[in-house]
Amino acid sequence: MKSLHRGIIEEKPLYWIPPVALVILLGLFLTFKRYFYGLGSVTALNDYQPWGLWVGFDVLCGVALAAGGFVLTGIVHLLNFERYKSVVRPTVLSAFLGYILVSVGLLYDLGKPWNIWHPLVMWNPHSVMFEVAWCVMLYSTVLALEFSPVVLEKLGSWRILRIVRALTLPMVITGILLSTLHQSSLGTVFLIVPKKLHHLWYTNLLPVHFFLSAVSVGFAMVILESFVSHHLFKKSLETNVLLDLGQFMVVALMLMLIVRIQDVSFKIGWKNVYDGTIESWAFMTEMACFVLPLLLVFIYRNRMKMGIIVLSAAFTMAGVVLNRLNVSIIGMARSGGFRYFPSWEEFFLSFFLVTMGVLVFILCVKFLPIFPEEPAEEKPAE
Amino acid sequence: MLIDFTECIGCGECVKACQKQNKLGDNPSKDDLSSHNYTVVLKQEGINYRKLCMHCQEPTCASVCPVGAFTKTALGPVIYDADKCMGCRYCMMACPFGVPRYQWDSAVPVIAKCIFCNERVAAGGETACSWVCPMGATRMGRRSDLLEIARGRVERHPDKYVNYIYGETDAGGTSILMLSSVPFDKLGFPMDLGAQPLPSLTWSVLSKIPSIVVTGGVLLGGLTWIINRRIQLDSGALVDPEDSSRPGKGGAK
């Protein structure tokens, strides 16, 4: 049992160490460069496109891809789908780590990161960013509390555990409300640039798009993470649970597509979508990523297989990632005169943060009762 | 402040005075606004024109800044508090005129934009640029007075001016007003901003948040309550129908 639990780390102890060490070393070097020589020394950002990959990927995609947390806790604790309980812990862990990565990403991107606490005391309720900052701070706290039982179990603090357990329901509800607010508000952020953001993405329904796509990708991420964990940690795969979650994902995708298709039909007109520009290609690729999962699920509806659901989830994830990059970078590029393309350092530091996140996840799985298969971990047997 | 492009001779004295006043250092490149240039004088279509912060009546930068680092003072200037700023650069993204600049090469960067020489103006003085202008092309005054002057010039010389006072209504109106003999869009000024101040776009969503929270909270709480009660009733854990003193509860299912 124990050796199964430890999985890949124990079996191939040396083969992954040199590349990871290299990534960490180079990451630390670039971190040093960024903090001592300014954003311009590592990024391609400029006065004409002040937000780049770190806002587009680290923050916008980071928050969206961590949506699995509120989506799944809502289904399990509020709608009482007890069946999915086995995936709650790894999902909450990855959501929590996701938000930590978003915050660390912000520490890289903010010009004066030591002032990151300023929104706590310097209020501007008219600012979307102010609201997002508060929601992200509060929701990270909620996620920490939602994850705390895992640590408390390990430590054996049963009294605190009982208090936290009693708070589960209010915490889940608070988490859903906060997530609804800031997932949509990240779309509201771009409502202020009606003339700068390309018309294929600018609509006053941006907050609705952002929220619905976050819900879709929340389910997709639970599916993908379970699938990857299955291979990485040799966990048994609960096929039925993932197929069910796939259904939820498809429903959320349909909702989002209905809203977006209506939007495009009435505001732009489909015949005006393609005009040969890079924006129209980016838009069509994004839409294809959202339509393909629906087609796949429809075609295979009577002989649904794990692979199909995983593929659909992967397309959904790609679509949401592309959507966030489209809104924040590609759709904004024309107004900035196409003067920005991410530097290799920006790509690398984003990759570095993701690598660190995965490492911490693996360590958590190794030392904490994340996956429920081992019955010994559930009860205080020792 | 009223800037009449037709009177500008392109001497660039305002740019130099501005750099000196705001201690921006001398920057050889004066092609566009930068962290060394709060204002520049450019030439296009045979006319000299200035770029600088427009000092909106309802500034987008002040509305989007999460820490309220921008303030519109009663006299007109939109000023910036670098100590509050955390460097998110949302102001740069949001500014409809694309004005704010950043110190990309600094480890302690701040936003760079014209602050209307706030200290001089607050003390009853003029901005460095209008004070130094040898032609009177840039002049200070109350916005309403300047608008009247501008309208008078356009009416008296319809052959000389395009019939548009830039900043009168653009993005809800600005404290800087501009007159030109060349259409403003040819000089790179956005003409499609409309008369509605941009902050209303996000406020219309933000102002709904309290009701979203209350409605959502009640909805989610109620949903959970109903579902859990049904489950408990189904499993017979909550009320034992035989034992119930209130028959309504047992018969609810």
Side-chain angles (χ1 to χ4, degrees), chain A residues 173-356:
Chain A
I173 292 181
T174 316
I176 294 175
L177 290 175
L178 289 170
S179 295
T180 308
L181 290 185
H182 73 266
Q183 292 285 2
S184 59
S185 289
L186 286 175
T188 316
V189 160
F190 292 89
L191 284 186
I192 203 81
V193 285
K195 303 301 167 196
K196 287 185 177 176
L197 179 56
H198 194 271
H199 63 264
L200 283 173
W201 292 283
Y202 188 87
T203 149
N204 38 19
L205 289 179
L206 263 173
V208 181
H209 291 172
F210 266 56
F211 174 70
L212 290 176
S213 54
V215 174
S216 320
V217 84
F219 290 115
M221 288 308 284
V222 180
I223 295 167
L224 290 172
E225 282 159 7
S226 305
F227 185 72
V228 172
S229 297
H230 162 65
H231 285 281
L232 202 57
F233 307 117
K234 309 274 183 296
K235 297 290 154 190
S236 66
L237 197 58
E238 289 178 68
T239 318
N240 283 334
V241 169
L242 296 197
L243 291 183
D244 272 15
L245 290 173
Q247 284 189 319
F248 279 103
M249 178 184 81
V250 165
V251 173
L253 268 179
M254 285 198 281
L255 275 176
M256 183 196 66
L257 275 174
I258 287 170
V259 176
R260 288 198 72 175
I261 287 170
Q262 276 188 341
D263 218 31
V264 174
S265 311
F266 294 132
K267 289 207 186 107
I268 306 163
W270 287 96
K271 62 180 189 301
N272 299 323
V273 165
Y274 179 72
D275 56 6
T277 56
I278 179 166
E279 288 95 341
S280 62
W281 280 107
F283 180 81
M284 289 190 301
T285 318
E286 180 193 327
M287 287 315 243
C289 285
F290 290 133
V291 174
L292 273 171
L294 298 184
L295 281 181
L296 279 173
V297 170
F298 178 73
I299 293 169
Y300 287 89
R301 63 191 178 284
N302 292 328
R303 46 211 155 96
M304 191 46 80
K305 282 192 292 263
M306 199 58 223
I308 300 300
I309 282 296
V310 171
L311 192 63
S312 307
F315 272 122
T316 307
M317 185 184 96
V320 171
V321 168
L322 192 56
N323 171 259
R324 298 308 192 258
L325 296 179
N326 279 341
V327 171
S328 63
I329 302 174
I330 297 172
M332 295 291 291
R334 192 170 295 275
S335 67
F338 291 106
R339 274 178 270 209
Y340 169 79
F341 188 84
S343 66
W344 72 267
E345 290 100 328
E346 284 176 81
F347 281 114
F348 188 85
L349 277 171
S350 296
F351 174 70
F352 167 67
L353 290 185
V354 174
T355 310
M356 298 310 285

Side-chain angles (χ1 to χ4, degrees), chain B residues 77 115 203-204:
Chain B
I115 50 165
W203 183 243
S204 63

Side-chain angles (χ1 to χ4, degrees), chain B residues 6-249:
Chain B
T6 64
E7 289 178 349
C8 178
I9 54 169
C11 63
E13 284 300 320
C14 50
V15 180
K16 281 183 219 153
C18 174
Q19 285 185 328
K20 212 173 147 197
Q21 167 73 28
N22 297 296
K23 303 184 181 68
L24 301 175
D26 191 45
N27 181 29
S29 161
K30 295 184 172 69
D31 311 333
D32 200 354
L33 299 177
S34 73
S35 54
H36 297 284
N37 296 97
Y38 287 180
T39 184
V40 283
V41 176
L42 301 170
K43 194 173 177 132
Q44 210 162 333
E45 308 266 329
I47 189 174
N48 298 301
Y49 69 99
R50 281 185 71 189
K51 272 178 89 170
L52 72 167
C53 172
M54 300 297 291
H55 297 276
C56 307
Q57 302 284 81
E58 274 190 52
T60 311
C61 55
S63 129
V64 299
C65 179
V67 293
F70 292 96
T71 321
K72 174 92 175 165
T73 72
L75 287 172
V78 176
I79 55 172
Y80 164 69
D81 184 347
D83 291 334
K84 282 188 175 178
C85 177
M86 56 182 196
C88 71
R89 311 188 295 285
Y90 193 15
C91 50
M92 305 177 69
M93 280 287 287
C95 175
F97 302 103
V99 164
R101 295 295 189 259
Y102 208 55
Q103 296 176 330
W104 296 102
D105 296 326
S106 168
V108 191
V110 298
I111 293 287
K113 80 161 196 71
C114 162
I115 50 165
F116 217 120
C117 291
N118 183 46
E119 281 176 29
R120 294 172 65 125
V121 171
E126 273 192 63
T127 63
C129 56
S130 66
W131 181 76
V132 81
C133 182
M135 304 303 291
T138 298
R139 57 188 290 175
M140 291 273 295
R142 288 170 56 93
R143 188 170 187 268
S144 49
D145 298 344
L146 294 174
L147 263 178
E148 221 160 283
I149 295 173
R151 274 197 210 104
R153 286 188 194 176
V154 173
E155 269 164 37
R156 257 177 283 122
H157 305 283
D159 49 324
K160 188 169 156 194
Y161 295 102
V162 290
N163 187 15
Y164 195 84
I165 304 169
Y166 197 80
E168 184 180 8
T169 59
D170 301 80
T174 61
S175 289
I176 306 284
L177 303 168
M178 291 167 166
L179 287 177
S180 170
S181 56
V182 172
F184 283 95
D185 45 349
K186 291 211 172 127
L187 304 176
F189 290 91
M191 291 296 287
D192 53 359
L193 297 176
Q196 191 199 25
L198 295 178
S200 58
L201 290 170
T202 42
W203 183 243
S204 63
V205 178
L206 280 174
S207 54
K208 292 196 183 81
I209 284 177
S211 46
I212 292 176
V213 171
V214 174
T215 318
V218 171
L219 208 66
L220 291 174
L223 199 65
T224 314
W225 188 41
I226 293 169
I227 289 175
N228 281 327
R229 190 173 155 75
R230 292 202 74 119
I231 288 173
Q232 279 171 325
L233 282 176
D234 276 347
S235 65
L238 190 67
V239 180
D240 187 3
E242 263 95 339
D243 202 35
S244 175
S245 52
R246 281 173 294 176
K249 268 198 171 176

Side-chain angles (χ1 to χ4, degrees), chain A residues 26-96:
Chain A
L26 187 53
L28 289 178
F29 168 71
L30 292 176
T31 305
F32 171 83
K33 202 173 164 201
R34 180 256 167 271
Y35 283 110
F36 284 86
Y37 297 95
L39 281 165
S41 69
V42 287
T43 71
L45 296 171
N46 54 59
D47 285 334
Y48 307 94
Q49 194 144 1
W51 284 359
L53 191 69
W54 290 350
V55 171
F57 183 76
D58 297 14
V59 177
L60 292 183
C61 293
V63 169
L65 300 187
F70 89 90
V71 169
L72 195 69
T73 51
I75 285 187
V76 171
H77 291 292
L78 295 193
L79 306 186
N80 251 308
F81 282 94
E82 294 271 334
R83 279 179 293 159
Y84 309 143
K85 234 178 177 161
S86 59
V87 282
V88 166
R89 283 191 169 184
T91 305
V92 169
L93 172 63
S94 56
F96 185 42

